[in-house]
Short mmCIF file of all heavy atoms in Angstrom, two decimals:
data_model
loop_
_atom_site.label_atom_id
_atom_site.label_comp_id
_atom_site.label_asym_id
_atom_site.label_seq_id
_atom_site.Cartn_x
_atom_site.Cartn_y
_atom_site.Cartn_z
N LEU A 21 4.20 -20.06 10.85
CA LEU A 21 4.49 -21.19 9.95
C LEU A 21 5.87 -21.10 9.32
O LEU A 21 6.54 -22.07 9.17
CB LEU A 21 3.39 -21.25 8.88
CG LEU A 21 1.96 -21.62 9.28
CD1 LEU A 21 1.02 -21.55 8.13
CD2 LEU A 21 1.97 -23.02 9.97
N ALA A 22 6.24 -19.86 8.92
CA ALA A 22 7.56 -19.67 8.35
C ALA A 22 8.68 -20.10 9.33
O ALA A 22 9.63 -20.79 8.94
CB ALA A 22 7.77 -18.20 7.94
N ASN A 23 8.53 -19.71 10.58
CA ASN A 23 9.51 -20.09 11.57
C ASN A 23 9.57 -21.55 11.83
O ASN A 23 10.65 -22.16 12.02
CB ASN A 23 9.29 -19.34 12.88
CG ASN A 23 9.64 -17.88 12.82
OD1 ASN A 23 10.55 -17.49 12.07
ND2 ASN A 23 8.96 -17.02 13.57
N LEU A 24 8.39 -22.17 11.84
CA LEU A 24 8.33 -23.65 12.06
C LEU A 24 9.03 -24.39 10.96
O LEU A 24 9.83 -25.31 11.21
CB LEU A 24 6.86 -24.11 12.18
CG LEU A 24 6.12 -23.73 13.47
CD1 LEU A 24 4.64 -24.09 13.35
CD2 LEU A 24 6.73 -24.41 14.65
N TYR A 25 8.71 -24.05 9.72
CA TYR A 25 9.29 -24.77 8.59
C TYR A 25 10.79 -24.48 8.47
O TYR A 25 11.62 -25.34 8.18
CB TYR A 25 8.57 -24.42 7.28
CG TYR A 25 7.31 -25.19 7.12
CD1 TYR A 25 6.05 -24.53 7.29
CD2 TYR A 25 7.29 -26.55 6.80
CE1 TYR A 25 4.83 -25.26 7.09
CE2 TYR A 25 6.11 -27.24 6.61
CZ TYR A 25 4.88 -26.62 6.79
OH TYR A 25 3.75 -27.28 6.63
N MET A 26 11.17 -23.23 8.65
CA MET A 26 12.60 -22.84 8.55
C MET A 26 13.36 -23.54 9.70
O MET A 26 14.52 -23.95 9.45
CB MET A 26 12.81 -21.36 8.66
CG MET A 26 12.46 -20.63 7.34
SD MET A 26 13.45 -21.18 5.96
CE MET A 26 15.15 -20.89 6.51
N ASN A 27 12.79 -23.69 10.81
CA ASN A 27 13.46 -24.39 11.91
C ASN A 27 13.75 -25.79 11.54
O ASN A 27 14.85 -26.36 11.90
CB ASN A 27 12.59 -24.29 13.17
CG ASN A 27 13.32 -24.97 14.38
OD1 ASN A 27 14.34 -24.50 14.83
ND2 ASN A 27 12.72 -26.00 14.90
N ARG A 28 12.80 -26.46 10.91
CA ARG A 28 13.01 -27.86 10.47
C ARG A 28 14.14 -27.93 9.42
O ARG A 28 14.95 -28.84 9.45
CB ARG A 28 11.72 -28.43 9.91
CG ARG A 28 10.61 -28.61 11.01
CD ARG A 28 9.38 -29.21 10.40
NE ARG A 28 9.60 -30.57 9.94
CZ ARG A 28 8.62 -31.31 9.35
NH1 ARG A 28 7.42 -30.77 9.14
NH2 ARG A 28 8.90 -32.53 8.92
N MET A 29 14.11 -26.99 8.53
CA MET A 29 15.14 -26.96 7.48
C MET A 29 16.53 -26.74 8.09
O MET A 29 17.51 -27.42 7.76
CB MET A 29 14.82 -25.90 6.44
CG MET A 29 15.91 -25.73 5.35
SD MET A 29 15.46 -24.46 4.17
CE MET A 29 17.02 -24.34 3.30
N LEU A 30 16.64 -25.73 8.99
CA LEU A 30 17.88 -25.43 9.63
C LEU A 30 18.36 -26.59 10.51
O LEU A 30 19.58 -26.85 10.57
CB LEU A 30 17.78 -24.12 10.44
CG LEU A 30 17.47 -22.87 9.64
CD1 LEU A 30 17.20 -21.71 10.59
CD2 LEU A 30 18.63 -22.53 8.72
N LYS A 31 17.47 -27.25 11.15
CA LYS A 31 17.81 -28.39 11.98
C LYS A 31 18.41 -29.51 11.10
O LYS A 31 19.42 -30.13 11.44
CB LYS A 31 16.57 -28.89 12.72
CG LYS A 31 16.90 -29.98 13.74
CD LYS A 31 15.67 -30.36 14.51
CE LYS A 31 15.96 -31.48 15.55
NZ LYS A 31 14.76 -31.78 16.35
N GLY A 32 17.77 -29.74 9.93
CA GLY A 32 18.33 -30.74 9.02
C GLY A 32 19.64 -30.33 8.46
O GLY A 32 20.58 -31.19 8.32
N TRP A 33 19.86 -29.11 8.21
CA TRP A 33 21.16 -28.57 7.74
C TRP A 33 22.25 -28.87 8.74
O TRP A 33 23.33 -29.32 8.39
CB TRP A 33 21.01 -27.04 7.47
CG TRP A 33 22.26 -26.33 7.16
CD1 TRP A 33 23.22 -25.85 8.05
CD2 TRP A 33 22.79 -26.04 5.86
NE1 TRP A 33 24.23 -25.22 7.38
CE2 TRP A 33 24.03 -25.33 6.01
CE3 TRP A 33 22.36 -26.25 4.56
CZ2 TRP A 33 24.76 -24.86 4.97
CZ3 TRP A 33 23.07 -25.78 3.50
CH2 TRP A 33 24.27 -25.09 3.69
N LYS A 34 21.96 -28.63 10.00
CA LYS A 34 22.91 -28.83 11.06
C LYS A 34 23.17 -30.31 11.33
O LYS A 34 24.33 -30.75 11.44
CB LYS A 34 22.42 -28.14 12.36
CG LYS A 34 23.43 -28.22 13.49
CD LYS A 34 22.94 -27.40 14.71
CE LYS A 34 23.97 -27.49 15.82
NZ LYS A 34 23.48 -26.74 17.02
N GLN A 35 22.12 -31.11 11.41
CA GLN A 35 22.27 -32.52 11.76
C GLN A 35 23.00 -33.29 10.71
O GLN A 35 23.76 -34.25 10.98
CB GLN A 35 20.86 -33.11 12.02
CG GLN A 35 20.22 -32.67 13.29
CD GLN A 35 18.86 -33.28 13.48
OE1 GLN A 35 18.22 -33.76 12.52
NE2 GLN A 35 18.40 -33.32 14.73
N THR A 36 22.82 -32.90 9.44
CA THR A 36 23.47 -33.63 8.35
C THR A 36 24.82 -32.97 7.93
O THR A 36 25.44 -33.38 6.96
CB THR A 36 22.53 -33.64 7.07
OG1 THR A 36 22.19 -32.32 6.71
CG2 THR A 36 21.27 -34.44 7.38
N LYS A 37 25.24 -32.00 8.76
CA LYS A 37 26.51 -31.33 8.56
C LYS A 37 26.71 -30.80 7.11
O LYS A 37 27.74 -30.92 6.48
CB LYS A 37 27.65 -32.28 8.88
CG LYS A 37 27.67 -32.78 10.31
CD LYS A 37 28.88 -33.61 10.61
CE LYS A 37 28.76 -34.15 12.08
NZ LYS A 37 28.76 -33.04 13.06
N ARG A 38 25.63 -30.17 6.60
CA ARG A 38 25.73 -29.62 5.20
C ARG A 38 26.65 -28.42 5.17
O ARG A 38 27.20 -28.12 4.10
CB ARG A 38 24.28 -29.21 4.77
CG ARG A 38 23.35 -30.37 4.73
CD ARG A 38 23.76 -31.43 3.73
NE ARG A 38 22.86 -32.57 3.81
CZ ARG A 38 22.92 -33.62 2.99
NH1 ARG A 38 23.85 -33.66 2.03
NH2 ARG A 38 22.09 -34.64 3.12
N GLY A 39 26.80 -27.71 6.29
CA GLY A 39 27.72 -26.58 6.28
C GLY A 39 29.15 -27.02 5.92
O GLY A 39 29.80 -26.37 5.14
N GLU A 40 29.57 -28.11 6.52
CA GLU A 40 30.88 -28.66 6.22
C GLU A 40 30.97 -29.18 4.80
O GLU A 40 31.93 -29.02 4.11
CB GLU A 40 31.31 -29.71 7.26
CG GLU A 40 31.49 -29.22 8.68
CD GLU A 40 30.23 -29.11 9.44
OE1 GLU A 40 29.13 -29.14 8.87
OE2 GLU A 40 30.28 -28.98 10.69
N GLN A 41 29.91 -29.90 4.40
CA GLN A 41 29.92 -30.53 3.09
C GLN A 41 29.96 -29.51 1.97
O GLN A 41 30.66 -29.68 0.97
CB GLN A 41 28.67 -31.38 2.93
CG GLN A 41 28.53 -32.09 1.57
CD GLN A 41 27.23 -32.85 1.44
OE1 GLN A 41 26.52 -33.11 2.43
NE2 GLN A 41 26.89 -33.26 0.19
N PHE A 42 29.17 -28.42 2.15
CA PHE A 42 29.08 -27.40 1.08
C PHE A 42 30.01 -26.24 1.34
O PHE A 42 30.03 -25.24 0.57
CB PHE A 42 27.65 -26.88 0.93
CG PHE A 42 26.67 -27.96 0.61
CD1 PHE A 42 25.43 -28.00 1.27
CD2 PHE A 42 26.94 -28.95 -0.31
CE1 PHE A 42 24.48 -29.01 0.98
CE2 PHE A 42 26.04 -29.93 -0.63
CZ PHE A 42 24.79 -29.93 0.04
N GLN A 43 30.83 -26.25 2.39
CA GLN A 43 31.70 -25.19 2.79
C GLN A 43 30.83 -23.89 2.79
O GLN A 43 31.16 -22.88 2.16
CB GLN A 43 32.82 -25.00 1.81
CG GLN A 43 33.75 -26.23 1.69
CD GLN A 43 34.87 -26.03 0.69
OE1 GLN A 43 35.44 -24.91 0.60
NE2 GLN A 43 35.17 -27.04 -0.05
N ALA A 44 29.76 -23.91 3.59
CA ALA A 44 28.77 -22.89 3.51
C ALA A 44 28.18 -22.51 4.86
O ALA A 44 28.28 -23.28 5.83
CB ALA A 44 27.64 -23.33 2.53
N ARG A 45 27.55 -21.37 4.88
CA ARG A 45 26.75 -20.91 6.02
C ARG A 45 25.41 -20.51 5.46
O ARG A 45 25.29 -20.00 4.36
CB ARG A 45 27.39 -19.73 6.70
CG ARG A 45 28.71 -20.03 7.40
CD ARG A 45 29.24 -18.80 8.07
NE ARG A 45 28.34 -18.32 9.12
CZ ARG A 45 28.57 -17.16 9.79
NH1 ARG A 45 29.65 -16.42 9.55
NH2 ARG A 45 27.67 -16.76 10.70
N ILE A 46 24.35 -20.74 6.25
CA ILE A 46 23.04 -20.33 5.87
C ILE A 46 22.56 -19.24 6.80
O ILE A 46 22.72 -19.32 8.01
CB ILE A 46 22.06 -21.57 5.91
CG1 ILE A 46 20.69 -21.17 5.35
CG2 ILE A 46 21.93 -22.12 7.32
CD1 ILE A 46 19.78 -22.36 5.09
N VAL A 47 21.99 -18.18 6.22
CA VAL A 47 21.51 -17.03 7.01
C VAL A 47 20.05 -16.91 6.69
O VAL A 47 19.65 -16.80 5.53
CB VAL A 47 22.26 -15.75 6.65
CG1 VAL A 47 21.78 -14.59 7.49
CG2 VAL A 47 23.75 -15.97 6.83
N SER A 48 19.18 -16.84 7.69
CA SER A 48 17.75 -16.80 7.42
C SER A 48 17.05 -15.75 8.31
O SER A 48 17.53 -15.38 9.38
CB SER A 48 17.12 -18.17 7.75
OG SER A 48 17.18 -18.48 9.09
N TYR A 49 15.92 -15.30 7.80
CA TYR A 49 15.04 -14.44 8.55
C TYR A 49 13.62 -14.72 8.04
O TYR A 49 13.33 -14.51 6.90
CB TYR A 49 15.38 -12.93 8.33
CG TYR A 49 14.46 -12.02 9.14
CD1 TYR A 49 14.70 -11.73 10.48
CD2 TYR A 49 13.34 -11.42 8.49
CE1 TYR A 49 13.83 -10.93 11.20
CE2 TYR A 49 12.50 -10.61 9.21
CZ TYR A 49 12.76 -10.34 10.56
OH TYR A 49 11.92 -9.50 11.29
N ALA A 50 12.74 -15.17 8.98
CA ALA A 50 11.39 -15.57 8.64
C ALA A 50 11.47 -16.62 7.49
O ALA A 50 12.16 -17.63 7.64
CB ALA A 50 10.54 -14.39 8.21
N ASP A 51 10.92 -16.33 6.31
CA ASP A 51 10.94 -17.34 5.21
C ASP A 51 11.93 -16.95 4.14
O ASP A 51 11.91 -17.53 3.06
CB ASP A 51 9.55 -17.50 4.62
CG ASP A 51 9.01 -16.20 4.01
OD1 ASP A 51 9.58 -15.16 4.29
OD2 ASP A 51 7.99 -16.29 3.31
N ASP A 52 12.81 -16.00 4.42
CA ASP A 52 13.86 -15.64 3.50
C ASP A 52 15.22 -16.17 3.97
O ASP A 52 15.51 -16.16 5.21
CB ASP A 52 13.97 -14.09 3.36
CG ASP A 52 12.84 -13.51 2.55
OD1 ASP A 52 12.27 -14.26 1.72
OD2 ASP A 52 12.55 -12.31 2.75
N PHE A 53 16.03 -16.62 3.05
CA PHE A 53 17.35 -17.13 3.45
C PHE A 53 18.31 -17.09 2.29
O PHE A 53 17.91 -17.05 1.12
CB PHE A 53 17.29 -18.57 4.01
CG PHE A 53 16.91 -19.61 3.01
CD1 PHE A 53 17.91 -20.28 2.30
CD2 PHE A 53 15.63 -19.95 2.75
CE1 PHE A 53 17.57 -21.29 1.37
CE2 PHE A 53 15.21 -20.91 1.82
CZ PHE A 53 16.24 -21.57 1.16
N VAL A 54 19.59 -17.00 2.65
CA VAL A 54 20.66 -17.10 1.66
C VAL A 54 21.66 -18.11 2.14
O VAL A 54 21.84 -18.31 3.36
CB VAL A 54 21.41 -15.76 1.40
CG1 VAL A 54 20.49 -14.74 0.79
CG2 VAL A 54 21.99 -15.19 2.73
#
């Protein structure tokens, strides 16, 4: 379940180009992320 939900979150991050907007990178493992 952690991987399924995190995958949806990461997919939304990429599709909406939040990395560029927030000048950021997201690093995740299971249900933990920074």
Side-chain angles (χ1 to χ4, degrees):
L21 292 177
N23 286 330
L24 287 173
Y25 280 107
M26 282 303 301
N27 182 64
R28 293 181 65 181
M29 177 179 169
L30 294 173
K31 187 175 181 180
W33 174 275
K34 184 176 181 180
Q35 289 179 339
T36 57
K37 299 185 183 299
R38 300 297 175 174
E40 293 85 344
Q41 179 183 346
F42 301 137
Q43 300 179 39
R45 292 181 61 184
I46 187 169
V47 182
S48 67
Y49 180 82
D51 60 348
D52 287 335
F53 66 93
V54 294

